[in-house]
Amino acid sequence: MSATLPLASQNILIIGGARDIGFAIANAIHEAGATPVIGARDLVKAREAAERIPGARAVSIDITDEDSIVRALDEVGPLDHIVTTASAHHNVPVSQLDHDHVVSAFEAKVIGPMLLAKHAAKTVRPDGSLLLFSGVAAWNPSPGYAVMGITNGAVTYAVTHLAKELAPIRVNAISPGIIDSGSWDAMGDNAKHEFLEDSGRATLVGRVGRNDDITRAALWLLEGSFVTGETIHVDGGARIA
């Protein structure tokens, strides 16, 4: 890789990097000169994803399991940055909440990243960073999405506290809107098209997001050595539309 590339010779762990937005970020990181380390609970899927990106590595990691975090960080060695896109959805009305599913959602979005920060402080270089993911549901309350909104909102508070405590390691978050990332493909072509069209009309820019909208923001935050404790909204203005 050319030394002129912005992330040349860096090692970056992407938890959730085996699919959708996570994989897009891993590929963009490779194109920026870094070595992506794709982390997923399913090591087979992590390896399959890594095989699609030249020079990428794979590691098994479950962000809801502290022992798994420790093992993975020991295995991959020193890192320049860590990105986590992990989530566990529980999108039901409040009247139908299930305790264990609520706990799982908080473990994936809040508790896990905090424990990741606990151990990453020893392996991420001082001028490196952690990049978490929030989401537009935190700012647009909607029936059936209380757990998603509350956990996403908690991520924003988490980055401010973690940024102060882990300094000079930087901690930031991206808050995406609806992104045509591949995660909606299971809806089927017609239902997906209708959903994305409706979602696009609910933004200020008249469209849903694309993976490259997110990857550009991610690369900017990884390179942005004077940005920490921030949540960057990449939602086409949906939260204020």
Side-chain angles (χ1 to χ4, degrees):
M1 289 294 181
S2 169
T4 62
L5 292 173
L7 298 177
S9 303
Q10 296 190 13
N11 293 303
I12 303 175
L13 171 63
I14 310 97
I15 301 171
R19 60 191 294 270
D20 301 337
I21 288 175
F23 182 78
I25 292 173
N27 196 56
I29 284 169
H30 159 70
E31 292 177 351
T35 298
V37 183
I38 295 177
R41 284 184 296 183
D42 187 330
L43 183 57
V44 172
K45 291 182 178 179
R47 285 174 173 164
E48 289 174 349
E51 288 173 359
R52 296 165 59 193
I53 301 176
R57 300 163 58 196
V59 67
S60 173
I61 183 169
D62 180 353
I63 199 169
T64 69
D65 181 340
E66 186 172 7
D67 288 340
S68 173
I69 292 171
V70 172
R71 287 194 300 271
L73 294 181
D74 285 345
E75 179 178 339
V76 301
L79 292 165
D80 296 278
H81 307 276
I82 299 177
V83 180
T84 176
T85 67
S87 63
H89 300 309
H90 184 40
N91 297 330
V92 298
V94 170
S95 60
Q96 298 176 22
L97 290 176
D98 175 86
H99 173 274
D100 290 347
H101 289 159
V102 172
V103 171
S104 294
F106 273 88
E107 285 181 333
K109 276 282 188 178
V110 185
I111 300 171
M114 290 178 68
L115 293 175
L116 177 68
K118 169 186 174 181
H119 297 285
K122 308 182 193 77
T123 192
V124 172
R125 62 182 174 86
D127 56 347
S129 72
L130 305 183
L131 178 57
L132 312 184
F133 268 71
S134 177
V136 72
W139 291 269
N140 278 348
S142 180
Y145 292 91
V147 173
M148 178 181 285
I150 293 167
T151 54
N152 283 337
V155 172
T156 292
Y157 284 98
V159 297
T160 60
H161 288 271
L162 293 174
K164 184 149 190 177
E165 187 154 350
L166 298 185
I169 294 173
R170 297 178 296 108
V171 185
N172 294 295
I174 291 175
S175 177
I178 300 298
I179 308 297
D180 186 7
S181 64
S183 60
W184 310 105
D185 292 355
M187 298 174 70
D189 290 343
N190 291 337
K192 173 187 169 181
H193 177 77
E194 183 176 348
F195 169 72
L196 295 180
E197 286 289 310
D198 288 344
S199 298
R201 285 191 289 269
T203 72
L204 297 182
V205 300
R207 68 170 177 86
V208 297
R210 300 181 293 262
N211 278 337
D212 63 334
D213 293 312
I214 302 299
T215 59
R216 283 197 294 267
L219 292 178
W220 179 72
L221 286 170
L222 295 178
E223 297 171 40
S225 60
F226 204 54
V227 182
T228 190
E230 297 294 335
T231 295
I232 304 302
H233 300 274
V234 187
D235 61 7
R239 74 192 184 285
I240 58 174

